[in-house]
Amino acid sequence: MSRLLRAFWQRFLRSIAFVILLTLISSLILPGATWAASSLGVDNGHLSTCPVSNNCVVSQNADEKHAINPIVYHVDRNAAREILLKVLSVVPRTEIVEQTDNYIHALSKSRIFRLVDDVEFYLPANESVIHLRSASRVGEFDLGINRRRCEQIRLALRDLNI
């Protein structure tokens, strides 16, 4: 009988330890919502700035922590836009939700927790660049996912000689 009680007690303690660990991890990664719908889109020729959290990159008006270079292209603007749309169509767990002649908004979901990141692209008429912004909707940290996603898109576009 004492073996059965001991096995139950060990299993119970492991369960409590797991719940505590999961709570700590989720409080670091998901402390609260940082997303607001009003922060999306182009305003006066600029994408929104990043919040103070470490889960966003932007190529316009960014501080050093959030800055990323825009994507330079050497083809017609419409061709660059169409190639970008094709690249986005093969990015895993990514869905284009809005597009105009100079703006693309996509949602990208994380593999495990299905957390949503907003990925935006702005193609100004007077420049041969694609400005970009990628930001997590929740949490404080993204483990560099938004920056890596943007750099992977940049590499794919470079491989396609835009």
Side-chain angles (χ1 to χ4, degrees):
M1 179 92 158
S2 69
R3 284 185 185 174
L4 183 60
L5 185 58
R6 186 175 298 146
F8 171 78
W9 187 249
Q10 287 176 343
R11 184 175 291 166
F12 178 72
L13 289 177
R14 279 191 215 132
S15 297
I16 289 177
F18 177 74
V19 167
I20 290 171
L21 179 64
L22 190 60
T23 302
L24 288 173
I25 290 172
S26 67
S27 68
L28 289 173
I29 296 174
L30 307 169
T34 59
W35 174 78
S38 63
S39 67
L40 297 176
V42 178
D43 185 27
N44 292 322
H46 291 88
L47 295 168
S48 298
T49 59
C50 287
V52 296
S53 59
N54 294 316
N55 59 5
C56 176
V57 294
V58 67
S59 65
Q60 294 177 302
N61 300 329
D63 59 16
E64 187 176 320
K65 175 172 72 170
H66 297 102
I68 191 166
N69 291 328
I71 300 169
V72 178
Y73 61 88
H74 307 287
V75 296
D76 176 71
R77 182 169 156 255
N78 289 330
R81 181 182 171 280
E82 291 304 314
I83 294 169
L84 173 60
L85 288 169
K86 287 179 183 175
V87 167
L88 291 174
S89 72
V90 297
V91 174
R93 298 170 308 283
T94 299
E95 172 189 3
I96 298 167
V97 293
E98 180 183 351
Q99 58 178 304
T100 65
D101 62 332
N102 68 349
Y103 175 76
I104 299 169
H105 174 211
L107 301 179
S108 187
K109 294 182 182 176
S110 65
R111 184 178 305 147
I112 297 173
F113 293 114
R114 301 287 184 219
L115 300 173
V116 177
D117 295 343
D118 289 286
V119 188
E120 300 175 278
F121 302 90
Y122 170 52
L123 295 89
N126 58 350
E127 297 178 70
S128 294
V129 298
I130 302 171
H131 287 290
L132 48 125
R133 180 179 189 270
S134 185
S136 301
R137 288 188 176 183
V138 295
E140 292 292 320
F141 304 102
D142 68 349
L143 305 174
I145 297 297
N146 285 294
R147 184 173 300 278
R148 278 196 301 276
R149 177 186 305 114
C150 290
E151 293 301 342
Q152 288 171 343
I153 291 169
R154 177 192 316 279
L155 288 174
L157 292 171
R158 185 177 359 172
D159 286 348
L160 294 169
N161 295 318
I162 73 155

